[in-house]
Amino acid sequence: MSAGRRRPVHVSVLTHAFLVLVSLATVYPILQIVTVSLRPTDSLYSTSLALIPEHATLRAYYAILFEKQFLLWMRNSALVSLAVTVFGVVLASTAAYAFSRFRFPGWRMGLYSFLLTQLFPATMLMLPLYVLMRALHLLDTFAGLTIAYTATALPFCVWTMRGYYDTIPVELEQAALIDGCGPWTAFTRVTLPLAAPALTITALFSFMSAWSEFLVARIVVSSLSLYTLPLGLESLAGVFQTEWANYAAGSLLVCVPVMALFVFLNRWLVSGLSLGGVKG
Amino acid sequence: MMRSRWCAPLALAALLAATLPACAPKSGRSARTIVIWEQMDPEERVRFEANLAAFRQTHPDVEIQHTPYETEQLRTQFQTAAAGGGGPDLVFGPSDQVGPLSLLQTIQPLDQALPAGFFDRYVPSSLDTLDGHIYAAPDQVGNHLVLCFNRRLVPQAPTTAEEFVALARRLTRGGVYGFAMNLTEPYWLVPFLGGYGGWIMDAQAAPTLDTPAMVQALTFLKGLRDLRVLPQECDYQIAETLFKEGKAAMIVNGPWSWSGYRRAGVDLGIAPLFRMPGGRWAQPMVASKGYSISVNVPKEKMPLVTELVEYLTSPEAELRSVRELAILPSHKDAYGDSSLVQDPYLAVSLQAIEKGRRMPVVPEMRVIWDAMRPEMQNVMNGIKTPAGGARAMQQAAVAQIAAMKK
Amino acid sequence: MNATIRAPRSFPYLLLLPALVAMLLVVLFPLLYNIFLAFRNMSLYHFTDHTFVGLEQFRELFAQPVLYVLFGKSLLWTVLNVFFHVVIGVALAMLLAGPVRGRALYRTLLILPWAMPQYISALTWRGMFNYEYGAVNLILQRLHLPAVPWLSDPTWAFLAPVIVNIWLGFPFMMIVALGALTAIPHDLYEAADLDGAGAWLKFRHVTWPQILPVLTPAVLLGTVWTFNNMVVIWLVSQQGRPADQTHIMVTWIYKVAFTYYRYSYAAAFSVVVFLILLAFVVFTLRRAAPLEQAK
């Protein structure tokens, strides 16, 4: 924001107080989940508010990692999610560029159509999706999952990238074109690096679309060997009896790669044009 | 496209795309592969996998793939898959799934598909007939609600409703409730309905929810809540938590929960639900879970599939881990086994089943449950009177069944 | 802005074709299938042999009050959620974009609700809302406020999933806003400082216009997603409790389709939802956030 100017102390204190409060409220339910994972009695709830339960045990973590197929689920999820991330970033960044920089017949329809697909309640799309996947022989394949997830992640990614491209002055690419670059090089050498924050959002969103998605996975996958993390965790749940401790431990472990990815991508959320003086 | 920085990532993407199809399993369904879609509690599944392993020892060339599903999804996806000519060979789930599945003609009538006399081996109370046919081969009978109590707090189980209420009141003190129960699901209401002489439907599967017996049953449960012998907001999870932590002396729950209670350290005692005022025993619903065979199984495969079903419902398979799971077998011969006879929980469980009544498996069941649920909650929350609730239940059930059949 | 770049005519089409194909392939058929179903009578008793019934499903739908009640609830649900998502997300992003000590840690903690699987988060929150034993009421009582029957009173039972969904949704908005904020060049702020602008004016004339292009898709799609969000209400209210009072349009659609097997009716209902959201999107894009942004 206003770089180089020291903020008054009371603003700093208020800011930190607010942030601490919000962080606490945000993290508290997560701590409850940690408690569930440590509880020896497989109980989701408890009458005691203690964060560390009586006879706390790490058994659930051991069970989920080594007695269940957690590592297999994670491998499958990682494969699919990374593929979706790559495809999402590549397809969205190119398609959005077209919508941002060009006015061609059908551009409005095209842009709208990306949005229209999100308007229908997802639960009703599941059964015809099954029929479709079956017809295309994509059932029980990673390809089927990847295509489905990429398709659902694209609308947001395309629109966001487009919005971000719109804030990058076209003069920069025009300058590159004058210098003799072709349009593709102008795009990749000039525009894309400046769009790093949007690419980060796209990557993160695409990853999350696949990593924590359950409904589509349930439809497409029926072989245990292809189980993704949401499906695997779901198999721990019974009608009434659920292995809550294992489920909680698994859920927490599921978070870890996402957090790692976020920490890794964080630096690109702050680069880009905040170097100053680039735009004018 | 020059030597651009993005050539590499694009190539990577293309490579990934090329490898994806190869990551699919060889899902070629051979004649010796059996696919089962099942709904089971995690512990039940452990036994199931052990049984499958034992079957494979005698049939080493047979491959069996099974996929767990949640109840609703099992039904929905099986419907879609089977109606489209695909899906698994066997589907295992609660007995009431045969209603919709048979209607959609996705499962075979087993009394015709399997050899004559196949079902003689099962205990009669484990079989369901729908439109004159049997659609599932059961591997258990039970699912019945009983009175579970903490022996440290309750030395002897009450046998009448009056005893029960007095006991619950006496035990409610010092942060401990005398009782806890899932007050949000009609499955827990039904035993008391039966205890007052009523039932949810008649012989023609028409709902009979607006009866004096229903009003009495609702009044009884609401009365317990008003006496504050159980928490005001009591659903399944809360009731379980309280009982596991020793903060509730008694609970009404089924066999699926007992091992969890014992593992949590509760000194568990079980007893059939008590007699209601008027002399009748409370009548919990009794249900099975079983294997149904898809209509898409080719004729050549039927003998193998039949063999598997036979094994999975044999005394050997059903007696595995029977004490831990507290699931009563469906096979007559299993009942001679000593482990069954000597286990105190299973003996009481059997007594409770004798007082129970078979859960209907007609498709209308779902609608009836759904009609009962909100009104039961309304009565418990004091928003409607028992009489008003009963009337509303009946109206909703009739209306929705009519709409469903349009 | 949006001036074009000289390039071969096919260039933009090549750029967007892969994305368009992938998306249409997966979504178009299910969409059309549902629209098709809405004009038929597919149900449990007519699963494979359903027939054309014209506008019958729609006639029944519009004749019942449930459609209008649920529409109102969906509207309230969406407005409450999106408002707080944006306000909290943008506020946090503004705080964390600046020179705050430990901001990396804050950002990481604040993204946890998004990273955590929804199923267990929702159920944990449900436990926290329990009247007697839940953490929320216990904290309220410590603050000398009365305990709230979160899950048994219809009004509070509606607010409980709202709170949960706000918790689940603000990190996403925060990330998008953070990305948008970093694009704002410092000289714009310096120019504003030179003009003597205070914090609010800087926000209104520098920050907000700059982040709007990037924030708009998130808010637009966020609104649509919230309107169509079935999972949170379903899990927190345990399928509509108390007494089916906690429903919005999409949860009711799910129930009708999978409890009553009335697939065509549910499809018709879904088409209505689609049209409502379509009207919203078109209106918003025309008026509030035109595709051609004036710079």
Side-chain angles (χ1 to χ4, degrees):
Chain A
M1 296 244 287
S2 34
R5 225 197 350 185
R6 288 267 302 278
R7 307 167 87 180
V9 173
H10 66 274
V11 172
S12 250
V13 168
L14 277 175
T15 306
H16 275 281
F18 178 69
L19 285 172
V20 166
L21 207 63
V22 174
S23 301
L24 276 176
T26 305
V27 170
Y28 186 73
I30 311 282
L31 290 177
Q32 297 270 32
I33 299 176
V34 175
T35 309
V36 174
S37 72
L38 295 174
R39 218 173 261 148
T41 58
D42 254 346
S43 292
L44 181 59
Y45 303 139
S46 170
T47 53
S48 116
L49 274 189
L51 275 180
I52 310 282
E54 250 181 58
H55 312 297
T57 165
L58 288 175
R59 177 116 221 322
Y61 292 91
Y62 180 83
I64 191 101
L65 281 174
F66 303 114
E67 286 170 17
K68 310 278 171 186
Q69 306 271 60
F70 190 80
L71 294 173
L72 172 71
W73 304 334
M74 187 164 271
R75 186 206 75 165
N76 293 340
S77 274
L79 264 167
V80 174
S81 302
L82 283 175
V84 172
T85 306
V86 168
F87 281 114
V89 169
V90 169
L91 294 179
S93 58
T94 49
Y97 191 71
F99 286 121
S100 172
R101 296 303 194 233
F102 298 92
R103 293 291 166 267
F104 45 92
W107 75 273
R108 246 185 239 275
M109 260 316 288
L111 199 52
Y112 270 119
S113 72
F114 273 100
L115 210 48
L116 291 186
T117 56
Q118 299 282 296
L119 303 182
F120 210 84
T123 48
M124 291 302 288
L125 298 177
M126 289 303 124
L127 285 184
L129 184 68
Y130 180 84
V131 172
L132 177 72
M133 289 275 155
R134 189 146 175 270
L136 294 175
H137 296 286
L138 286 174
L139 276 186
D140 240 7
T141 62
F142 282 141
L145 276 179
T146 306
I147 293 175
Y149 286 146
T150 310
T152 41
L154 276 177
F156 170 73
C157 297
V158 168
W159 274 76
T160 300
M161 297 254 23
R162 178 191 169 268
Y164 203 86
Y165 286 144
D166 282 353
T167 69
I168 301 175
V170 70
E171 288 82 18
L172 296 172
E173 286 127 69
Q174 286 170 341
L177 285 173
I178 292 175
D179 282 346
C181 286
W184 176 257
T185 321
F187 168 57
T188 53
R189 287 273 165 84
V190 176
T191 325
L192 270 185
L194 291 175
L199 286 173
T200 307
I201 298 174
T202 298
L204 203 53
F205 182 77
S206 302
F207 186 84
M208 287 299 290
S209 297
W211 185 259
S212 49
E213 202 283 338
F214 173 74
L215 281 182
V216 171
R218 180 77 285 181
I219 294 282
V220 173
V221 171
S222 50
S223 298
L224 286 181
S225 56
L226 263 77
Y227 258 35
T228 56
L229 282 169
L231 289 178
L233 287 181
E234 192 62 18
S235 71
L236 296 173
V239 180
F240 290 118
Q241 297 304 99
T242 298
E243 300 176 27
W244 288 115
N246 294 345
Y247 198 101
S251 299
L252 288 164
L253 292 176
V254 161
C255 264
V256 171
V258 178
M259 305 301 293
L261 183 69
F262 177 68
V263 168
F264 174 70
L265 290 176
N266 205 1
R267 71 184 96 148
W268 280 296
L269 268 182
V270 299
S271 75
L273 293 167
S274 56
L275 304 168
V278 179
K279 286 210 294 199
Chain B
M1 288 250 230
M2 295 111 262
R3 293 151 241 94
S4 157
R5 263 220 315 258
W6 295 95
C7 273
L10 275 173
L12 178 65
L15 203 65
L16 253 161
T19 59
L20 281 176
C23 291
K26 306 288 178 293
S27 55
R29 194 94 65 81
S30 74
R32 305 299 284 177
T33 308
I34 301 185
V35 179
I36 312 176
W37 287 3
E38 39 91 350
Q39 181 262 74
M40 291 181 183
D41 279 344
E43 289 173 353
E44 211 184 328
R45 190 170 301 125
V46 171
R47 170 174 91 165
F48 176 65
E49 283 167 355
N51 283 337
L52 289 182
F55 182 79
R56 294 207 54 213
Q57 299 227 311
T58 50
H59 299 74
D61 62 325
V62 175
E63 197 197 320
I64 306 177
Q65 295 168 7
H66 71 97
T67 314
Y69 280 90
E70 183 260 328
T71 324
E72 305 293 308
Q73 272 154 354
L74 178 63
R75 206 189 54 255
T76 325
Q77 257 181 273
F78 179 77
Q79 254 168 243
T80 317
D89 301 301
L90 286 173
V91 57
F92 176 83
S95 52
D96 59 355
Q97 76 181 8
V98 302
L101 293 184
S102 64
L103 210 61
L104 300 168
Q105 295 172 346
T106 50
I107 53 178
Q108 304 185 27
L110 296 181
D111 46 318
Q112 294 166 349
L114 295 178
F118 185 88
F119 290 96
D120 294 342
R121 71 189 70 192
Y122 299 118
V123 174
S125 64
S126 67
L127 294 170
D128 289 300
T129 315
L130 186 61
D131 289 334
H133 295 289
I134 302 180
Y135 284 99
D139 80 338
Q140 58 187 268
V141 58
N143 221 55
H144 49 296
L145 294 173
V146 303
L147 184 68
C148 311
F149 53 97
N150 191 332
R151 280 198 286 226
R152 232 174 297 146
L153 299 169
V154 178
Q156 182 107 21
T159 50
T160 67
E162 290 86 14
E163 276 177 36
F164 167 76
V165 175
L167 185 62
R169 294 179 79 171
R170 206 169 52 238
L171 291 172
T172 303
R173 57 189 159 85
V176 172
Y177 280 104
F179 183 57
M181 184 177 98
N182 186 356
L183 280 184
T184 59
E185 278 292 332
Y187 197 72
W188 273 258
L189 172 63
V190 168
F192 304 100
L193 175 64
Y196 280 109
W199 196 240
I200 49 173
M201 60 169 67
D202 59 18
Q204 283 75 39
T208 53
L209 300 172
D210 191 8
T211 56
M214 173 64 86
V215 177
Q216 285 172 306
L218 286 170
T219 311
F220 177 73
L221 288 181
K222 177 75 166 47
L224 292 178
R225 189 174 179 270
D226 291 339
L227 284 174
R228 306 201 161 233
V229 295
L230 81 172
Q232 299 296 291
E233 259 182 27
C234 204
D235 64 5
Y236 186 87
Q237 295 295 345
I238 295 296
E240 271 238 314
T241 304
L242 289 174
F243 189 71
K244 273 185 179 171
E245 292 184 359
K247 296 245 167 61
M250 301 184 273
I251 189 176
V252 172
N253 215 341
W256 59 82
S257 62
W258 301 340
S259 62
Y261 295 156
R262 274 142 68 183
R263 266 203 313 266
V266 175
D267 188 7
L268 180 70
I270 60 173
L273 283 170
F274 38 81
R275 259 191 236 269
M276 302 306 292
R280 259 187 271 252
W281 287 95
Q283 230 182 9
M285 277 188 167
V286 176
S288 306
K289 287 169 84 164
Y291 296 91
S292 299
I293 305 183
S294 163
V295 293
N296 296 324
V297 175
K299 269 219 155 42
E300 319 81 62
K301 213 171 173 185
M302 278 302 288
L304 180 61
V305 170
T306 310
E307 253 189 270
L308 181 60
V309 171
E310 262 186 303
Y311 179 73
L312 289 171
T313 58
S314 66
E316 177 190 331
E318 290 182 3
L319 285 172
R320 204 184 300 265
S321 310
V322 69
R323 297 178 68 177
E324 289 82 350
L325 293 174
I327 295 180
L328 285 169
S330 59
H331 202 290
K332 284 181 184 160
D333 295 341
Y335 281 88
D337 189 274
S338 59
S339 67
L340 202 68
V341 164
Q342 287 164 1
D343 186 88
Y345 292 105
L346 291 173
V348 175
S349 188
L350 210 52
Q351 285 174 20
I353 288 187
E354 278 157 25
K355 301 189 166 59
R357 189 166 165 177
R358 202 93 195 119
M359 178 172 82
V361 297
V362 294
E364 288 87 335
M365 253 334 282
R366 296 188 63 71
V367 174
I368 294 185
W369 285 134
D370 199 73
M372 290 172 79
R373 193 175 297 115
E375 302 308 335
M376 178 183 172
Q377 290 169 16
N378 276 333
V379 172
M380 293 305 137
N381 289 337
I383 298 178
K384 287 200 178 148
T385 63
R391 209 172 318 127
M393 280 185 196
Q394 177 72 8
Q395 282 170 350
V398 169
Q400 284 299 345
I401 289 180
M404 193 173 88
K405 291 198 166 158
K406 255 205 317 223
Chain C
M1 205 48 259
N2 292 340
T4 53
I5 294 177
R6 248 167 304 132
R9 277 271 287 272
S10 60
F11 192 63
Y13 291 106
L14 282 175
L15 280 178
L16 67 88
L17 217 52
L20 201 61
V21 165
M23 195 201 55
L24 289 178
L25 181 74
V26 171
V27 189
L28 199 63
F29 171 71
L31 241 164
L32 294 175
Y33 184 79
N34 267 284
I35 298 177
F36 168 72
L37 270 190
F39 294 99
R40 302 180 77 85
N41 66 347
M42 181 175 176
S43 68
L44 185 61
Y45 292 87
H46 300 283
F47 193 66
T48 41
D49 59 338
H50 43 89
T51 54
F52 180 75
V53 294
L55 290 173
E56 183 53 45
Q57 306 284 5
F58 292 99
R59 234 195 305 266
E60 189 187 331
L61 191 56
F62 282 103
Q64 292 174 344
V66 71
L67 176 71
Y68 308 97
V69 170
L70 290 178
F71 175 61
K73 288 194 172 170
S74 290
L75 215 58
L76 187 61
W77 160 261
T78 307
V79 166
L80 279 175
N81 272 297
V82 175
F83 177 77
F84 282 106
H85 284 167
V86 174
V87 166
I88 297 178
V90 172
L92 286 173
M94 289 190 56
L95 287 177
L96 292 175
V100 175
R101 251 200 316 207
R103 66 180 169 179
L105 176 66
Y106 282 127
R107 287 191 193 184
T108 313
L109 286 178
L110 290 170
I111 203 183
L112 275 171
W114 196 33
M116 202 65 200
Q118 258 186 21
Y119 184 75
I120 198 159
S121 300
L123 288 182
T124 304
W125 267 102
R126 184 181 162 78
M128 282 168 56
F129 279 124
N130 183 266
Y131 184 70
E132 266 171 86
Y133 303 107
V136 177
N137 274 352
L138 288 173
I139 293 178
L140 283 176
Q141 282 170 330
R142 289 270 172 84
L143 297 174
H144 302 289
L145 293 167
V148 172
W150 290 104
L151 299 173
S152 47
D153 175 273
T155 316
W156 293 110
F158 183 78
L159 284 179
V162 171
I163 294 176
V164 178
N165 200 42
I166 292 175
W167 180 84
L168 283 169
F170 82 81
F172 171 72
M173 227 30 106
M174 182 183 82
I175 296 288
V176 174
L178 264 175
L181 281 170
T182 59
I184 305 178
H186 288 253
D187 19 338
L188 285 181
Y189 284 115
E190 277 155 23
D193 280 338
L194 284 176
D195 286 343
W200 171 249
L201 280 174
K202 273 196 282 196
F203 176 77
R204 226 182 125 226
H205 292 286
V206 179
T207 313
W208 185 250
Q210 290 281 327
I211 64 175
L212 201 56
V214 183
L215 213 53
T216 302
V219 176
L220 196 63
L221 278 169
T223 307
V224 170
W225 291 330
T226 303
F227 195 88
N228 278 341
N229 187 325
M230 184 217 108
V231 175
V232 176
I233 295 190
W234 196 258
L235 289 177
V236 177
S237 71
Q238 290 289 83
Q239 305 168 22
R241 291 175 197 171
D244 271 345
Q245 294 291 315
T246 315
H247 271 288
I248 56 173
M249 291 175 104
V250 288
T251 57
W252 186 255
I253 291 174
Y254 185 78
K255 184 176 152 137
V256 167
F258 298 107
T259 305
Y260 300 138
Y261 310 101
R262 301 182 59 198
Y263 299 110
S264 275
Y265 181 78
F269 210 135
S270 303
V271 169
V272 171
V273 169
F274 178 77
L275 292 174
I276 291 173
L277 289 173
L278 184 62
F280 164 72
V281 164
V282 168
F283 173 81
T284 311
L285 286 180
R286 285 255 168 90
R287 304 282 222 79
L291 287 182
E292 303 276 4
Q293 284 274 16
K295 239 345 201 314

